[in-house]
Amino acid sequence: MAERGALWLLSLLCLTFLHTQSSAAKHGDKGSSAQPFSPFWFTVEPQDTLAIRGNAALLNCSAHSDAATPARIEWKKDGTFMSLVSDERRRILPDGSLFFTHVVHSKHNKPDEGTYQCVATIDNLGSISSHTARLSVAGMPRFTSQPAPTSVHLGDSQVMACEINSDLVPFTRWEKDRQPLELSTRLVQLPSGALVISNASEADAGLYRCLVENVGSSKSSDEGQLQILPEVTINQKLEFLVQPGPVTKVVGTSVLLPCVVTGYPAPHVRWMFGDKLLEESEGRVEILGGGSLQIFNLTEEDAGTYTCVADNSNATIETQTQLTVQVPPRFVKRPENIYAHESMDIVFECEVSGSPAPTVKWVKNGDAVIPSDYFKIIKEHNLQVLGLVKSDEGFYQCLAENDAGNIQSSAQLIILDHASPAGPTPSAPRDVVASLVSTRFIKLTWRQPAEPHGDELTYSVFYSQEGTSRERVVNTSRPGEMQVTIQNLMPDSKYRFRVVAHNSNGQGESSAALKVATQAEVQVPGPAPNLQAVPNTPTSVFLSWDKPVTGNGEILTYKLYYTDKSVGNEQDVDTDSLSYTLTGLKKNTEYSFRVVANNKHGPGVSTDDIVVRTLSDVPSGPPQNLTLEVQNSKSILLRWQPPPLNSQNGEITGYKIRYRKGSRRSEAAETTGGTQLNKLIDGLERGTEYSFRVSAMTVNGTGPATEWITAETFESDLDESRVPDQPSSLHVRPLVNSIVVSWTPPENQDIVVRGYTIGYGLGSPHAQTIKVDYKQRYYTIENLDHSSHYVITLKAFNNVGEGIPVYESAITRPQSDPDVDLYELFHPPYTPVPDPSPMMPPVGVQASVLSHDTIKVTWADNSLPKNQKITDNRYYTVRWKTNIPANTKVKMANTTSLSHMVIGLKPNTLYEFSVMVTKGRRTSTWSMTAQGTTFETIPSSAPKDVTVVSKENKPRTIIVNWQPPSEANGKITGYIIYYSTDVNAEVHDWVIEPVVGNRLTHQIQELTLDTTYYFKIQARNSKGMGPMSEAVHFRPVIYASPSNVPPKPGPSGKSGVGSNSENHILVIVIIISVGAFTIIVVVVGAFLCTRRTTSHQKKKRAASKSSNGSHKYKGNSKDLKPPDLWIHHERLELKPMDKSPDPNPVMTETPIPRTSQDITPADSGLESNPHLQQRRNSYRGHESEDNMSTLAGRRGMRPKMMMPFDAQPPQPVISAHPIHSLDNHHHHYHMGSLASPTRSYLYHQGSGHLRPHACATPISHLDRVDSTESVRNTPNSDPLPPATASSQASCPSEIMADLESSYHGSTTTEEEPSYSSNLPPHRSAHPHTHAHPLKSFAVPAIPPSSHPTYESPALPSTPLLAQTGPPTHPHVVKTASIGTLGRTRTPMAVTVNPVPLPQSYEPDELTEEMAHLEGLMKDLNAITTAP
């Protein structure tokens, strides 16, 4: 027995090794079946190059690949491949670069200049193209202007001209007196090549010339003499020597905006970016040559309008320019490599950004992809390929280009061949018919194949249009579905359809081709051709069209649809003629138009939209927020904003400014450009009141003007011949990490103050310096250390220099101080310290909300007359702020009226407004605040953070979570969830789920498993619906346990077990092997001990059996003794070892007889046992109460098994059934089962013949039934055929009694019957050849994966534990039953008869037996460890 156990263990280990080797081989085959993607890219791509005529030139290009053969490089010039075979001047170097020995270029022959692109090709793989590069040839130097003799006053500026071809400017340099000139911040070379000399000195006198070098031939300009004149002492008018022009630059480069001014007194030059003063910053923004602006490392934010303002004590002049910053294309999302099968549809995604917006084109293997019915550009830049064929394989490239550059990115497409099936596949589906045919869709239905070779079949429908070789495919949405609707077909076209079924092994045979033609659209009218729209007036458009070619009867009416593009609402009007004049439109507004013809069948096909803009008109509203700022005694600066958009009525071409002195009627006029929103009016009289008004102009004329507003020039000009005096006061207020600094201007206000310089630092005021505007009266120094001593200095400055500083020191608060500023709790917000005679602040401030982004602020001024008419030069400053978000900055605007329209506000936001008044050098404190909340508008952003997860234990139910939109623009009153299986479907085809506004999660039930769903969410408020979120996809998958479940094999039949699962199985097999070895040792010891008992003890045991009403076993002329190691329990409570809080249903395995002669075809055995008859009838009574799933109903019934019984009373036995828990770790369950020392498996396959097996034990186990029917259906099946004559031995009737009761699963209580597990069909069993009486109580073995033909999650076994508590019913064993997934079944009681208790051993006998057993163990160890 020991040798047999050792041999069995060795065979098990060998089988484990073979399983591992076969698994490795299987994975090797799987990996080699799919061709890997080939790394193929450019390591170097050509760059734009400036070549010199007659010199050599090189365009670099090199490609990398892992292919056996290197890539072949070819070149294209201007989109055409170059033929370089016999070209002696141009050749391709070994690394792929294009080399020119000498560049040829002349006026009429330019063979080398152009756009180049290199193409790398690997045979049998594909081609990729580089981005393009421009080869330019430098022209001959030609001077359009040269230095001329000139002069300059000491301290003034002058420009020496030198203009040359723009491409040669980088090769230009200057010489003075024939010596190279070193440039500096005072001597600057402009982008045109000219030289600026600022703050001239005596050393600057000399002869100047410019030279062009390093372009093949050098050339120098004429020489110009510069003379230095004495310093000017009389006033000279300010004028620009050089003004900036519009400039376009690429991000990351630098730009120089020239601005050179001359005049006396020496002007102060400053730059404005938009309406903000531009300050210098080291290494980023510098002012050179007295006024030119240089900006390094340009960013997108640097684009805009720049104004050069030059002023002195006499006048102010300014000029504007526009800087455009271009951004080269860059990839936001690159295309990715794709595996696909023939007939599938794929999409290459490509998302790019840049400025201007890049154009995208697609290239396949170096050739441009031309959009067609099967190659489509979707979502702006993505490439969709429909109905793949083998020739579509290769490299696809996304090429993006704009004025700043071009880029490319490639992806590979590999078409996979269908893998050979792993087993029998379905035959062709039957009776394929078109059950519904329309103009643009066809519905197909069919019947199941005659040979399905499986239950859960999926289907693919392949279709193609007649005359094309491309075939597309549509899959059914769920297993077993035998119909599909093919959408988006062409009317009046013929199509071929065929259907293929898939089972777990792969794709089956195809049905015969079915030819179906779609219906023609012959009932409704076609589109009206030749639709034209011509604007007649600013408010009307004339439209005309022709009669549809396919009218399909009399046209009754035409419906004209028109849409205001700025709003988006479509309206319509009916007419019965072929033209219509649409009136009442908005001026200078884009409208789209389309026409639909109607006949008696209804509306026809719409025309394409055409877009027309109505004519412009004179502005219908005046400019907004006109303000006046008195600069000095002779000039006043006007600022304004354009008229509202809805009253501009066209592009604003300029503004007309009218002004008059005092109450005179005679007016003067000035005009500005359309983008200029300020104007300095100079040459005015001292101490004189002027009135101004401004009107906007379009090409149609001048619109209405603003109201007259007045300002008075100063009596005398301020002095700027000396520095300002010391500020009259300086106040500091320390906080934890900041100090608030406030001050008042110098007492002597006759000296010009252009700003203030604040210095601060730890112990010294010179560590940091900040400059602020002259109007500012307070500043907050941020980012300071807490509990630190800071010294602060303040100085006023003008163009002469900085004045006398005033000092103050402060200690910041400790970190433990509260964040709330206690000073602010008990004091109003700090305001500048007023002058000795401060102005009264405005009163009665009101905020009137006009729209979602506009609030009108009005107030009164008590210092004005009762009629509130402004007659002086005062102006008002309106400031506003919102506390959401908390760090929002205060915004301000100036106005000279008693109201101000604040625009550009956020919807549904509370704002606070206050006003202060300024008159000359006097200001008031801020007024009391007024509040206003803007109106709501539709949400301008979509809900964010949309996630989809499956609900635990309910795979068909998902939970959608989201967050509110960041720009809700009002209270969210609800959400709408859209979901669909087609992400490209129209919105009205998506399923809608409404959700109330206070919910941020929602459950959606009854989804289809293994189907990808797409979800979008839209928020709404009281004003309407906002935009939809991006689509989020989710695929509901059924899980057998919380751990990761391998995916179910798809239609291709590919399946495999990952390395982790195989290792898991290997570990389990080893553990079982060790356990089996231990059991063998124990059994051998028990067997030997039993044989060594004395005959006296045998007699006592036999007498004990006789007294308990037992009888002898029949069969093979021997009595079979019951096992000595028996469980001493009369009552036994069995429960599964599942500690999950929500246990899944489990399955009870049932013992059956082991020999075929024990099974009879009649019910006689059952009738002889009325108790069992009652239990069986009870089971049938439950059958009508609860049916299994529809899957179980499809699969037919299993034949029932009948057990023979003897007439004698049954021998009582106890059988402990292993319970299989669904909540344990799952394993892959393969066909067949290995012989196990702890368990035997039998399977009944239709014929009813069980394999012959020795009836060596009172109990066995039925293998897990591989079907979805319940065991309770077995009584309705046909009986088994008679047993064969070769086996006449029968098992004892007491075993049969227990088997019959267990098999039928009946109980004497009203509890649910047991169910069989849902496992794959067609699995054979291998019963044990060597059984043991203790199998019923051993740990069940896990079937090893030795026959991997079909894989499915199996149910691991868990031994039952005896319940020690008192039973609730005599002789009852409770087991758990298994049902459908996701449902919990109540335990089923099984009646068990009392067990005979064997007589116990005497102490001395037991000691002797244990000593003998110990000797046997040593011998066994010696045998197993021997080499």
Side-chain angles (χ1 to χ4, degrees), residues 363-539:
V363 172
K364 180 205 169 190
N365 290 334
D367 297 326
V369 174
I370 301 174
S372 63
D373 291 341
Y374 296 96
F375 288 86
K376 297 182 178 181
I377 304 298
I378 62 173
K379 292 186 178 179
E380 295 187 12
H381 301 149
N382 296 344
L383 175 64
Q384 183 182 40
V385 186
L386 304 177
L388 290 175
V389 295
K390 191 68 176 177
S391 60
D392 291 332
E393 274 192 334
F395 289 92
Y396 290 78
Q397 287 179 275
C398 175
L399 279 71
E401 181 179 12
N402 66 5
D403 295 339
N406 64 92
I407 55 174
Q408 62 82 24
S409 182
S410 62
Q412 187 179 5
L413 170 64
I414 294 180
I415 306 294
L416 298 174
D417 296 322
H418 286 287
S420 56
T425 57
S427 59
R430 297 175 291 175
D431 301 339
V432 180
V433 295
S435 60
L436 183 61
V437 179
S438 182
T439 55
R440 295 182 182 272
F441 71 88
I442 291 177
K443 183 178 181 180
L444 296 179
T445 58
W446 57 89
R447 291 173 55 215
Q448 183 173 312
E451 300 175 1
H453 296 294
D455 290 327
E456 300 203 2
L457 299 184
T458 58
Y459 297 89
S460 298
V461 177
F462 296 85
Y463 67 97
S464 61
Q465 192 172 356
E466 192 174 61
T468 63
S469 59
R470 287 186 177 272
E471 197 172 45
R472 299 182 62 187
V473 62
V474 174
N475 298 319
T476 54
S477 59
R478 58 181 179 271
E481 187 176 21
M482 289 182 286
Q483 65 177 21
V484 74
T485 300
I486 313 296
Q487 304 276 2
N488 302 320
L489 303 179
M490 298 297 295
D492 196 21
S493 301
K494 293 182 179 179
Y495 289 87
R496 294 174 69 254
F497 299 90
R498 62 187 184 91
V499 184
V500 174
H502 302 263
N503 65 4
S504 59
N505 296 322
Q507 177 176 304
E509 297 179 15
S510 172
S511 67
L514 173 68
K515 295 184 178 180
V516 183
T518 54
Q519 295 180 358
E521 290 181 334
V522 296
Q523 298 184 359
V524 296
N530 197 26
L531 174 61
Q532 295 181 349
V534 179
N536 283 344
T537 68
T539 59

Side-chain angles (χ1 to χ4, degrees), residues 125-252:
L125 193 61
S127 302
I128 57 175
S129 302
S130 72
H131 64 60
T132 58
R134 175 80 182 171
L135 177 67
S136 304
V137 181
M140 291 293 294
R142 295 183 180 86
F143 291 101
T144 55
S145 67
Q146 303 187 51
T150 187
S151 60
V152 61
H153 292 276
L154 280 172
D156 206 354
S157 300
Q158 186 57 275
V159 178
M160 304 294 287
C162 178
E163 294 187 14
I164 198 168
N165 321 25
S166 59
D167 56 339
L168 298 182
V169 171
F171 303 98
T172 304
R173 68 178 180 86
W174 280 86
E175 286 185 352
K176 174 177 176 287
D177 298 329
R178 300 296 177 98
Q179 296 297 320
L181 183 66
E182 185 177 348
L183 301 178
S184 65
T185 57
R186 195 177 63 84
L187 302 175
V188 178
Q189 183 175 336
L190 300 181
S192 64
L195 177 67
V196 175
I197 303 171
S198 60
N199 194 16
S201 64
E202 294 285 353
D204 293 328
L207 290 171
Y208 289 83
R209 70 170 183 172
C210 62
L211 295 86
V212 180
E213 295 179 334
N214 302 325
V215 287
S217 60
S218 299
K219 189 173 183 179
S220 61
S221 69
D222 298 337
E223 287 187 321
Q225 177 74 40
L226 178 65
Q227 292 184 347
I228 305 300
L229 302 179
E231 188 174 357
V232 180
T233 56
I234 60 174
N235 287 348
Q236 287 189 353
K237 183 180 180 182
L238 292 180
E239 61 178 337
F240 288 107
L241 296 178
V242 180
Q243 298 187 53
V247 183
T248 299
K249 288 287 185 178
V250 178
V251 66

Side-chain angles (χ1 to χ4, degrees), residues 224 818 1295:
I1295 302 175

